[in-house]
Amino acid sequence: QVQLVESGGGLVQTGGSLRLSCVAPGRTFSRYGMGWFRQAPGKGREFVAAITGTGRSTRYIDSVKGRFTISRDNAKNTVFLQMNSLRPEDTAVYYCAADSAGSLVSGSESAYEYWGQGTQVTVSS
């Protein structure tokens, strides 16, 4: 069982920045691919970004490319999502997820076995 705990959400104005963190205690963190998803009010959950266990490969949805950066620190069992140039349409609950096939950067929810509780990001216009 992998427990994931997100933090770093909050309220920010358009154009601002936030950095989300997701901690996964345990000795095998580097074996998991990690992803960030988001769910806006009244919408389904949407893939945002993913990173392999080694951190060598990443993947993003088009709408966040150039604005968001996913990274990880395996020594600290933490994955980050740096979000810059935030827009009102980025408002959502953001979830991190873990995929035991650590070599993939999947955009599919079904690839991820473990999920955090989510952290709210609100971007005001």
Side-chain angles (χ1 to χ4, degrees), residues 7 9 20 22-23 29-31 34-35 60 67-68 72 77 85 94 96-97 99-100 116 120 123:
S7 63
L20 305 183
C22 174
V23 177
F29 179 72
S30 63
R31 293 164 56 182
M34 299 298 294
Y60 301 89
R67 301 189 298 124
F68 291 12
R72 65 191 297 157
N77 286 13
S85 303
Y94 283 70
C96 71
D99 165 18
S100 61
Q120 176 71 46
V123 185

PDB file of all heavy atoms in Angstrom, residues 7 9 20 22-23 29-31 34-35 60 67-68 72 77 85 94 96-97 99-100 116 120 123:
ATOM      1  N   SER A   7       0.203  18.572  -0.851  1.00  0.00           N
ATOM      2  CA  SER A   7       0.154  19.857  -0.174  1.00  0.00           C
ATOM      3  C   SER A   7       0.544  20.941  -1.168  1.00  0.00           C
ATOM      4  O   SER A   7       1.044  20.634  -2.264  1.00  0.00           O
ATOM      5  CB  SER A   7       1.082  19.873   1.038  1.00  0.00           C
ATOM      6  OG  SER A   7       2.425  19.702   0.636  1.00  0.00           O
ATOM      7  N   GLY A   9      -1.523  23.539  -2.289  1.00  0.00           N
ATOM      8  CA  GLY A   9      -2.610  24.232  -2.973  1.00  0.00           C
ATOM      9  C   GLY A   9      -2.960  25.532  -2.275  1.00  0.00           C
ATOM     10  O   GLY A   9      -2.460  25.837  -1.193  1.00  0.00           O
ATOM     11  N   LEU A  20       3.011  22.448  -5.984  1.00  0.00           N
ATOM     12  CA  LEU A  20       2.387  21.341  -5.275  1.00  0.00           C
ATOM     13  C   LEU A  20       3.437  20.289  -4.948  1.00  0.00           C
ATOM     14  O   LEU A  20       4.368  20.068  -5.724  1.00  0.00           O
ATOM     15  CB  LEU A  20       1.277  20.711  -6.120  1.00  0.00           C
ATOM     16  CG  LEU A  20       0.187  21.643  -6.628  1.00  0.00           C
ATOM     17  CD1 LEU A  20      -0.871  20.834  -7.382  1.00  0.00           C
ATOM     18  CD2 LEU A  20      -0.428  22.443  -5.514  1.00  0.00           C
ATOM     19  N   CYS A  22       3.882  16.193  -3.283  1.00  0.00           N
ATOM     20  CA  CYS A  22       3.210  14.936  -2.954  1.00  0.00           C
ATOM     21  C   CYS A  22       4.262  14.020  -2.334  1.00  0.00           C
ATOM     22  O   CYS A  22       5.246  13.672  -2.993  1.00  0.00           O
ATOM     23  CB  CYS A  22       2.611  14.311  -4.196  1.00  0.00           C
ATOM     24  SG  CYS A  22       1.904  12.667  -3.949  1.00  0.00           S
ATOM     25  N   VAL A  23       4.040  13.664  -1.098  1.00  0.00           N
ATOM     26  CA  VAL A  23       4.977  12.809  -0.375  1.00  0.00           C
ATOM     27  C   VAL A  23       4.416  11.391  -0.299  1.00  0.00           C
ATOM     28  O   VAL A  23       3.233  11.197  -0.014  1.00  0.00           O
ATOM     29  CB  VAL A  23       5.229  13.350   1.043  1.00  0.00           C
ATOM     30  CG1 VAL A  23       6.158  12.413   1.802  1.00  0.00           C
ATOM     31  CG2 VAL A  23       5.804  14.746   0.992  1.00  0.00           C
ATOM     32  N   PHE A  29       9.935   4.346  -3.339  1.00  0.00           N
ATOM     33  CA  PHE A  29       9.343   5.453  -4.078  1.00  0.00           C
ATOM     34  C   PHE A  29       9.904   5.555  -5.490  1.00  0.00           C
ATOM     35  O   PHE A  29       9.166   5.821  -6.444  1.00  0.00           O
ATOM     36  CB  PHE A  29       9.595   6.752  -3.320  1.00  0.00           C
ATOM     37  CG  PHE A  29       9.052   7.971  -4.007  1.00  0.00           C
ATOM     38  CD1 PHE A  29       7.687   8.209  -4.068  1.00  0.00           C
ATOM     39  CD2 PHE A  29       9.905   8.900  -4.592  1.00  0.00           C
ATOM     40  CE1 PHE A  29       7.180   9.329  -4.697  1.00  0.00           C
ATOM     41  CE2 PHE A  29       9.412  10.026  -5.223  1.00  0.00           C
ATOM     42  CZ  PHE A  29       8.047  10.244  -5.274  1.00  0.00           C
ATOM     43  N   SER A  30      11.203   5.344  -5.668  1.00  0.00           N
ATOM     44  CA  SER A  30      11.832   5.512  -6.971  1.00  0.00           C
ATOM     45  C   SER A  30      11.349   4.487  -7.993  1.00  0.00           C
ATOM     46  O   SER A  30      11.605   4.627  -9.188  1.00  0.00           O
ATOM     47  CB  SER A  30      13.350   5.441  -6.841  1.00  0.00           C
ATOM     48  OG  SER A  30      13.735   4.164  -6.374  1.00  0.00           O
ATOM     49  N   ARG A  31      10.658   3.455  -7.559  1.00  0.00           N
ATOM     50  CA  ARG A  31      10.142   2.442  -8.473  1.00  0.00           C
ATOM     51  C   ARG A  31       8.803   2.835  -9.086  1.00  0.00           C
ATOM     52  O   ARG A  31       8.332   2.175 -10.007  1.00  0.00           O
ATOM     53  CB  ARG A  31       9.991   1.115  -7.742  1.00  0.00           C
ATOM     54  CG  ARG A  31      11.331   0.513  -7.328  1.00  0.00           C
ATOM     55  CD  ARG A  31      11.190  -0.559  -6.290  1.00  0.00           C
ATOM     56  NE  ARG A  31      10.280  -1.639  -6.699  1.00  0.00           N
ATOM     57  CZ  ARG A  31       9.972  -2.679  -5.943  1.00  0.00           C
ATOM     58  NH1 ARG A  31      10.494  -2.778  -4.737  1.00  0.00           N
ATOM     59  NH2 ARG A  31       9.161  -3.620  -6.367  1.00  0.00           N
ATOM     60  N   MET A  34       4.959   8.605 -11.320  1.00  0.00           N
ATOM     61  CA  MET A  34       4.047   9.482 -10.599  1.00  0.00           C
ATOM     62  C   MET A  34       3.329  10.390 -11.577  1.00  0.00           C
ATOM     63  O   MET A  34       3.905  10.845 -12.573  1.00  0.00           O
ATOM     64  CB  MET A  34       4.821  10.325  -9.587  1.00  0.00           C
ATOM     65  CG  MET A  34       5.563   9.529  -8.524  1.00  0.00           C
ATOM     66  SD  MET A  34       4.467   8.555  -7.474  1.00  0.00           S
ATOM     67  CE  MET A  34       3.561   9.868  -6.639  1.00  0.00           C
ATOM     68  N   GLY A  35       2.077  10.641 -11.272  1.00  0.00           N
ATOM     69  CA  GLY A  35       1.288  11.519 -12.121  1.00  0.00           C
ATOM     70  C   GLY A  35       0.521  12.543 -11.305  1.00  0.00           C
ATOM     71  O   GLY A  35       0.271  12.349 -10.116  1.00  0.00           O
ATOM     72  N   TYR A  60       3.149  15.890 -20.500  1.00  0.00           N
ATOM     73  CA  TYR A  60       2.209  16.931 -20.097  1.00  0.00           C
ATOM     74  C   TYR A  60       1.046  16.996 -21.064  1.00  0.00           C
ATOM     75  O   TYR A  60       1.182  16.679 -22.247  1.00  0.00           O
ATOM     76  CB  TYR A  60       2.886  18.308 -20.101  1.00  0.00           C
ATOM     77  CG  TYR A  60       4.081  18.438 -19.205  1.00  0.00           C
ATOM     78  CD1 TYR A  60       5.360  18.124 -19.661  1.00  0.00           C
ATOM     79  CD2 TYR A  60       3.941  18.890 -17.898  1.00  0.00           C
ATOM     80  CE1 TYR A  60       6.465  18.248 -18.841  1.00  0.00           C
ATOM     81  CE2 TYR A  60       5.033  19.031 -17.067  1.00  0.00           C
ATOM     82  CZ  TYR A  60       6.292  18.709 -17.539  1.00  0.00           C
ATOM     83  OH  TYR A  60       7.385  18.844 -16.708  1.00  0.00           O
ATOM     84  N   ARG A  67       4.201  25.963 -18.941  1.00  0.00           N
ATOM     85  CA  ARG A  67       3.785  26.648 -17.709  1.00  0.00           C
ATOM     86  C   ARG A  67       4.005  25.786 -16.471  1.00  0.00           C
ATOM     87  O   ARG A  67       4.360  26.300 -15.418  1.00  0.00           O
ATOM     88  CB  ARG A  67       2.299  27.027 -17.790  1.00  0.00           C
ATOM     89  CG  ARG A  67       1.945  27.938 -18.944  1.00  0.00           C
ATOM     90  CD  ARG A  67       0.515  28.445 -18.826  1.00  0.00           C
ATOM     91  NE  ARG A  67      -0.479  27.354 -18.862  1.00  0.00           N
ATOM     92  CZ  ARG A  67      -1.387  27.146 -17.905  1.00  0.00           C
ATOM     93  NH1 ARG A  67      -1.418  27.920 -16.830  1.00  0.00           N
ATOM     94  NH2 ARG A  67      -2.261  26.153 -18.023  1.00  0.00           N
ATOM     95  N   PHE A  68       3.776  24.481 -16.589  1.00  0.00           N
ATOM     96  CA  PHE A  68       3.911  23.557 -15.465  1.00  0.00           C
ATOM     97  C   PHE A  68       5.156  22.692 -15.652  1.00  0.00           C
ATOM     98  O   PHE A  68       5.508  22.333 -16.778  1.00  0.00           O
ATOM     99  CB  PHE A  68       2.703  22.631 -15.373  1.00  0.00           C
ATOM    100  CG  PHE A  68       1.410  23.287 -14.958  1.00  0.00           C
ATOM    101  CD1 PHE A  68       1.259  24.665 -14.906  1.00  0.00           C
ATOM    102  CD2 PHE A  68       0.323  22.503 -14.617  1.00  0.00           C
ATOM    103  CE1 PHE A  68       0.064  25.244 -14.530  1.00  0.00           C
ATOM    104  CE2 PHE A  68      -0.892  23.065 -14.234  1.00  0.00           C
ATOM    105  CZ  PHE A  68      -1.013  24.439 -14.200  1.00  0.00           C
ATOM    106  N   ARG A  72      10.844  15.348  -9.426  1.00  0.00           N
ATOM    107  CA  ARG A  72      10.808  14.492  -8.234  1.00  0.00           C
ATOM    108  C   ARG A  72      12.154  14.490  -7.536  1.00  0.00           C
ATOM    109  O   ARG A  72      13.188  14.682  -8.176  1.00  0.00           O
ATOM    110  CB  ARG A  72      10.379  13.079  -8.601  1.00  0.00           C
ATOM    111  CG  ARG A  72      11.328  12.318  -9.494  1.00  0.00           C
ATOM    112  CD  ARG A  72      10.679  11.020 -10.010  1.00  0.00           C
ATOM    113  NE  ARG A  72      10.356  10.107  -8.931  1.00  0.00           N
ATOM    114  CZ  ARG A  72       9.424   9.152  -9.027  1.00  0.00           C
ATOM    115  NH1 ARG A  72       8.734   8.985 -10.138  1.00  0.00           N
ATOM    116  NH2 ARG A  72       9.197   8.343  -7.990  1.00  0.00           N
ATOM    117  N   ASN A  77      11.387  11.195  -1.285  1.00  0.00           N
ATOM    118  CA  ASN A  77      10.104  10.545  -1.585  1.00  0.00           C
ATOM    119  C   ASN A  77       9.027  11.560  -1.978  1.00  0.00           C
ATOM    120  O   ASN A  77       7.859  11.425  -1.579  1.00  0.00           O
ATOM    121  CB  ASN A  77       9.605   9.730  -0.373  1.00  0.00           C
ATOM    122  CG  ASN A  77      10.388   8.450  -0.176  1.00  0.00           C
ATOM    123  OD1 ASN A  77      11.441   8.251  -0.766  1.00  0.00           O
ATOM    124  ND2 ASN A  77       9.883   7.571   0.665  1.00  0.00           N
ATOM    125  N   SER A  85       2.344  30.990 -14.339  1.00  0.00           N
ATOM    126  CA  SER A  85       1.393  31.627 -15.263  1.00  0.00           C
ATOM    127  C   SER A  85       0.007  31.008 -15.139  1.00  0.00           C
ATOM    128  O   SER A  85      -0.632  30.662 -16.141  1.00  0.00           O
ATOM    129  CB  SER A  85       1.901  31.506 -16.706  1.00  0.00           C
ATOM    130  OG  SER A  85       3.185  32.087 -16.833  1.00  0.00           O
ATOM    131  N   TYR A  94      -6.345  19.096  -7.308  1.00  0.00           N
ATOM    132  CA  TYR A  94      -5.218  18.402  -7.930  1.00  0.00           C
ATOM    133  C   TYR A  94      -4.870  17.164  -7.103  1.00  0.00           C
ATOM    134  O   TYR A  94      -4.745  17.242  -5.870  1.00  0.00           O
ATOM    135  CB  TYR A  94      -4.011  19.323  -8.017  1.00  0.00           C
ATOM    136  CG  TYR A  94      -4.130  20.323  -9.149  1.00  0.00           C
ATOM    137  CD1 TYR A  94      -5.048  21.365  -9.097  1.00  0.00           C
ATOM    138  CD2 TYR A  94      -3.345  20.201 -10.301  1.00  0.00           C
ATOM    139  CE1 TYR A  94      -5.187  22.261 -10.135  1.00  0.00           C
ATOM    140  CE2 TYR A  94      -3.471  21.106 -11.348  1.00  0.00           C
ATOM    141  CZ  TYR A  94      -4.388  22.132 -11.254  1.00  0.00           C
ATOM    142  OH  TYR A  94      -4.520  23.021 -12.296  1.00  0.00           O
ATOM    143  N   CYS A  96      -2.292  13.669  -6.799  1.00  0.00           N
ATOM    144  CA  CYS A  96      -1.145  12.910  -7.277  1.00  0.00           C
ATOM    145  C   CYS A  96      -1.484  11.423  -7.237  1.00  0.00           C
ATOM    146  O   CYS A  96      -2.356  10.993  -6.477  1.00  0.00           O
ATOM    147  CB  CYS A  96       0.126  13.208  -6.492  1.00  0.00           C
ATOM    148  SG  CYS A  96       0.179  12.572  -4.830  1.00  0.00           S
ATOM    149  N   ALA A  97      -0.807  10.678  -8.074  1.00  0.00           N
ATOM    150  CA  ALA A  97      -1.082   9.255  -8.211  1.00  0.00           C
ATOM    151  C   ALA A  97       0.213   8.509  -8.477  1.00  0.00           C
ATOM    152  O   ALA A  97       1.148   9.070  -9.047  1.00  0.00           O
ATOM    153  CB  ALA A  97      -2.074   9.023  -9.349  1.00  0.00           C
ATOM    154  N   ASP A  99       2.083   4.897  -9.953  1.00  0.00           N
ATOM    155  CA  ASP A  99       1.967   3.803 -10.912  1.00  0.00           C
ATOM    156  C   ASP A  99       3.152   2.865 -10.709  1.00  0.00           C
ATOM    157  O   ASP A  99       4.300   3.287 -10.847  1.00  0.00           O
ATOM    158  CB  ASP A  99       1.963   4.419 -12.319  1.00  0.00           C
ATOM    159  CG  ASP A  99       2.204   3.415 -13.424  1.00  0.00           C
ATOM    160  OD1 ASP A  99       2.036   2.208 -13.178  1.00  0.00           O
ATOM    161  OD2 ASP A  99       2.559   3.842 -14.529  1.00  0.00           O
ATOM    162  N   SER A 100       2.886   1.608 -10.369  1.00  0.00           N
ATOM    163  CA  SER A 100       3.977   0.680 -10.053  1.00  0.00           C
ATOM    164  C   SER A 100       4.828   0.321 -11.279  1.00  0.00           C
ATOM    165  O   SER A 100       5.948  -0.165 -11.121  1.00  0.00           O
ATOM    166  CB  SER A 100       3.418  -0.592  -9.417  1.00  0.00           C
ATOM    167  OG  SER A 100       2.539  -1.238 -10.300  1.00  0.00           O
ATOM    168  N   GLY A 116      -3.758  10.208  -3.942  1.00  0.00           N
ATOM    169  CA  GLY A 116      -3.861  11.049  -2.771  1.00  0.00           C
ATOM    170  C   GLY A 116      -5.272  11.598  -2.617  1.00  0.00           C
ATOM    171  O   GLY A 116      -6.151  11.324  -3.441  1.00  0.00           O
ATOM    172  N   GLN A 120      -6.714  21.650  -3.183  1.00  0.00           N
ATOM    173  CA  GLN A 120      -7.472  22.619  -3.983  1.00  0.00           C
ATOM    174  C   GLN A 120      -6.563  23.730  -4.494  1.00  0.00           C
ATOM    175  O   GLN A 120      -5.803  24.325  -3.721  1.00  0.00           O
ATOM    176  CB  GLN A 120      -8.593  23.224  -3.143  1.00  0.00           C
ATOM    177  CG  GLN A 120      -9.387  24.308  -3.849  1.00  0.00           C
ATOM    178  CD  GLN A 120     -10.276  23.757  -4.955  1.00  0.00           C
ATOM    179  OE1 GLN A 120     -10.969  22.766  -4.771  1.00  0.00           O
ATOM    180  NE2 GLN A 120     -10.245  24.412  -6.124  1.00  0.00           N
ATOM    181  N   VAL A 123      -7.623  29.777  -8.894  1.00  0.00           N
ATOM    182  CA  VAL A 123      -6.987  30.899  -9.561  1.00  0.00           C
ATOM    183  C   VAL A 123      -8.060  31.952  -9.820  1.00  0.00           C
ATOM    184  O   VAL A 123      -9.023  31.699 -10.554  1.00  0.00           O
ATOM    185  CB  VAL A 123      -6.322  30.473 -10.877  1.00  0.00           C
ATOM    186  CG1 VAL A 123      -5.569  31.653 -11.495  1.00  0.00           C
ATOM    187  CG2 VAL A 123      -5.377  29.302 -10.646  1.00  0.00           C
TER     188      VAL A 123
END
